[in-house]
Amino acid sequence: MTRKIADCRNYPSVSNCSLAITSEEDEVVRAAAEHAVSVHEHTDSPELRDQIRASLEDEKVAV
């Protein structure tokens, strides 16, 4: 299974957040949603999780 990454650096924020979360898709969505709520003051919702899932990229592994 391809690991996914959610990277706050891809989105502008007041805090200039640089967190990147890498794991299997469901784990990244869960952790990114928790981060979005606790740090960026979003409200956890199915829509937020759908947006996070849609923004995920495949992890690029250095060889």
Side-chain angles (χ1 to χ4, degrees), residues 12-31:
S13 71
V14 175
S15 63
N16 293 318
C17 186
S18 64
L19 181 71
I21 302 168
T22 304
S23 189
E24 293 183 12
E25 185 171 321
D26 288 342
E27 292 174 327
V28 173
V29 171
R30 183 179 65 245

Side-chain angles (χ1 to χ4, degrees), residues 43-56:
T43 300
D44 194 358
S45 66
E47 292 81 15
L48 173 65
R49 290 175 184 249
D50 288 345
Q51 290 174 348
I52 292 168
R53 192 175 303 278
S55 73
L56 296 180

